[in-house]
């Protein structure tokens, strides 16, 4: 497999985005997010999905030059119209208002609509945490999850993420997880490779457990912890569609079809200033909490693997499948 | 089993609270919440726990006459000191500020500290939804859950709840769930009854799955969906302890020992005005979302069972174990 330095990987991502029709201004934060994802070891969401982004740019499904509009609902509430462009420039533009608002008032919230796949949600909440805020984020997605007892998907894998700040612009820990037992990408990649999936990942069209990845894609994803996972995904749908104004799952454009139809999903972000509420108690409590986890053999902080991967790959460079590299270079 | 009308049940609850040292002003909202819990069919949390509340009043673990203090961090952020009293009067006092703030500014948040068990969390978020707000709430609890891979509990069952408003002061649906596979009460009651528990509910002291309820109480509760459930419980701990100022799980007073030591846990509530963000799109989207669930045979809305129980028991009256009734009457 070809190896790329961090700089080469960044250039590849940026030029594939720009070469397919993204404005330079819209490409910067997004390229950084894709690179960070790849460095984190989430290779299903980095280079792999970049080829879809580029195809969507070329088919007109997403407008790489859209200029997001931020509307203030109040001094602490923001609505961001992504204009059928990428989620990333819209989130970046919203954060420019959200972060100072949360610092001034203790809490602020924003919804993003007419948006696109947020990719690794934890990248965005990490930006809030590095600004000293407790960041919570959610995004809806094309429907793949049926209500427990039902068969028809009504919500997506609908991830939530939260990032806990530590003093000095650091992140104490970060969670980024789908409402499903596994990410949809894991089933898609197994199907692409013609491989079976473990039990507990997906259900077939009849709502029965399956180990056939194709049958799982045609059916539904199993929610994590049954009805409890579904309920978390349902909250994400309420926040991102009903409140933020993204389209409900079944009304969204497809992520896998090159049909030129916008996806128009929604995102929601909440930012809390820990010290406004805790009067300085936040950092010591987080330190004690993380210490109580790290002290146990076999336990680890939620983002420990991603952090280790980031350090290792920044040093060693990134590998990429030769065919994928060729496809991405062709987009540049 | 003795049967009680709704009025008789309310009188029983109120007089047990007041008879054990709660001020009349602090008893009203709490009695309503306990009654609502019992009507919802959550009998582990209604009459059953009331006897513990009364014992805690008498042992001095909780101050039934505490007057909560609400401090405004900003026009949209509130810190509520429950003063080692019940959570309910503190939450009620905080909501008097939180609700108008969320209506005026679109979003508001509050933390409660020096607090007590919030009992059925969904009662509180339901109050927010009936006021037309999307309510999200969380409470931490004495530690019963170990990090995945570890053995020592560091967080509690740490429930979250959200309630989705419908026009006319109604609740479209409501979720109230612990971060664990089942509520701790379910294991406690099995242990009290000398009965085994199903696999998947709890782990023993060595972190191994167990069907022995006593071994489960001595060990840890299994998180729902493994690491994903733990991560949700961890977010609750960050919100309720680190941010709101409740004590971290291991530093809390015991809920089961009559040692007179305050529990001092914390709660966190967020209220969002759906129309401020959605410009009227919220109600139609929620209607479409709920319809897509209810249209499926075998699927149901999250609170469907509680609603059905509430209607049935309001009509038929409530039953109560004769010994428990005698104990509660003795507190009155």
């Amino acid at each position: 497999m070809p190896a790329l330095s961090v700089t080469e990987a960044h250039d590849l991502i940026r030029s594939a985005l720009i070469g397919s029709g993204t404005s330079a201004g819209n490409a910067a934060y997004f390229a950084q997010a894709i690179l960070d994802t790849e460095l984190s070891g989430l290779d299903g969401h980095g280079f792999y999905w970049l080829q879809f982004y580029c195809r969507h740019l070329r088919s007109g499904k997403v407008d790489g030059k859209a200029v997001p509009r931020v509307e203030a609902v109040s001094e602490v509430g923001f609505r961001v119209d992504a204009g059928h462009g990428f989620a990333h420039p819209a989130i970046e533009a919203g954060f420019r208002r959200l972060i100072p608002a949360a610092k001034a008032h203790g809490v602020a919230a924003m919804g993003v609509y007419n948006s696109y796949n947020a990719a690794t949600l934890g990248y965005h909440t990490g930006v809030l945490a590095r600004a000293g805020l407790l960041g919570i984020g959610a995004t809806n997605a094309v429907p793949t999850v049926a209500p427990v007892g039902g068969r028809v998907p009504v919500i997506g894998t609908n991830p939530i993420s939260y990032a806990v700040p530590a003093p000095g612009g650091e992140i104490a820990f970060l969670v980024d997880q789908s409402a499903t037992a596994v990410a949809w990408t894991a089933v898609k990649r197994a199907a692409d490779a013609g491989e079976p999936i473990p039990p507990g990942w997906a259900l077939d069209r009849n709502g029965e457990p399956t180990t056939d990845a194709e049958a799982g894609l045609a059916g539904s994803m199993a929610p994590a912890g049954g009805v409890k996972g579904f309920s978390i995904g349902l909250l994400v749908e309420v926040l991102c569609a009903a409140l933020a104004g993204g389209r409900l799952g079944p009304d969204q454009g497809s992520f896998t079809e090159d049909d030129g139809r916008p996806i128009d999903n929604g995102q929601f972000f909440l930012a809390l200033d820990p010290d406004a509420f805790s009067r300085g108690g936040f950092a010591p409590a987080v330190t004690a909490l993380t210490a109580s986890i790290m002290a146990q053999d076999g336990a680890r902080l939620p983002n420990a693997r991603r952090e280790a991967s980031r350090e290792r790959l920044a040093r060693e460079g990134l590998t990429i499948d030769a065919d994928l590299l060729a496809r991405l270079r062709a987009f540049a």
Side-chain angles (χ1 to χ4, degrees), chain A:
Chain A
M1 292 234 276
L4 299 172
S5 72
V6 171
T7 307
E8 286 166 341
H10 182 262
D11 289 348
L12 171 69
I13 295 165
R14 189 170 175 279
S15 44
L17 286 173
I18 292 176
S20 301
T22 306
S23 67
N26 283 355
Y29 178 101
F30 196 12
Q32 207 58 51
I34 296 169
L35 175 65
D36 185 77
T37 294
E38 200 62 33
L39 283 169
S40 303
L42 299 163
D43 59 354
H45 289 84
F47 294 139
Y48 177 76
W49 282 114
L50 176 56
Q51 62 186 322
F52 287 80
Y53 310 150
C54 293
R55 275 158 50 184
H56 292 173
L57 283 161
R58 286 166 189 249
S59 73
K61 185 179 275 293
V62 64
D63 176 2
K65 296 185 169 64
V67 179
R69 283 190 319 110
V70 183
E71 177 197 350
V73 162
S74 72
E75 63 279 49
V76 289
F78 304 94
R79 284 162 50 83
V80 187
D81 181 352
H84 315 295
F86 285 122
H88 290 68
I91 293 168
E92 184 188 23
F95 279 4
R96 275 192 219 113
R97 305 290 297 275
L98 186 79
I99 291 170
K103 293 198 171 213
H105 303 278
V107 57
M110 85 182 205
V112 185
Y113 62 103
N114 289 334
S115 191
Y116 185 82
N117 193 294
T120 304
L121 194 59
Y123 182 76
H124 309 294
T125 56
V127 169
L128 297 176
R130 277 192 293 267
L133 299 167
L134 173 57
I136 303 177
T139 182
N140 73 348
V142 288
T144 50
V145 182
V148 174
R151 294 169 188 194
V152 182
V154 295
I155 61 171
T157 52
N158 285 13
I160 67 160
S161 172
Y162 65 93
V164 178
E170 297 292 317
I171 298 174
F173 60 92
L174 186 154
V175 165
D176 181 357
Q177 62 188 27
S178 66
T180 45
V182 297
W184 183 83
T185 303
V187 181
K188 174 78 168 77
R189 294 191 89 171
D192 287 352
E195 289 169 3
I197 52 172
W201 282 20
L203 311 166
D204 67 18
R205 272 178 200 279
N206 299 316
E208 301 296 330
T210 184
T211 56
D212 179 334
E214 288 287 357
L217 291 179
S220 63
M221 300 285 299
V227 73
K228 296 199 173 182
F230 181 79
S231 294
I232 298 293
L234 192 59
L235 172 60
V236 169
E237 195 71 17
V238 168
L239 289 169
C240 298
L243 188 121
R247 283 183 194 270
L248 286 169
D251 302 328
Q252 286 172 25
S254 163
F255 194 77
T256 47
E257 300 297 321
D258 280 331
D259 56 8
R261 198 177 145 226
I263 295 171
D264 287 350
N265 57 6
Q267 284 90 33
F268 175 82
F269 290 93
L270 180 77
L272 291 154
D273 181 358
D275 285 331
F277 288 90
S278 73
R279 304 290 192 222
F282 189 83
V286 167
T287 300
L289 183 58
T290 53
S292 73
I293 295 171
M294 290 190 295
Q296 300 190 44
D297 284 344
R300 58 183 175 81
L301 288 181
N303 59 329
R305 269 188 211 150
R306 290 189 190 183
E307 277 304 319
S309 170
R310 201 177 271 121
E311 282 171 30
R312 187 178 61 79
L313 293 178
R315 202 170 55 236
E316 296 177 3
L318 298 114
T319 56
I320 181 169
D321 173 82
D323 287 348
L324 181 55
L325 177 60
R327 280 199 295 283
L328 293 178
R329 286 206 169 129
F331 284 122

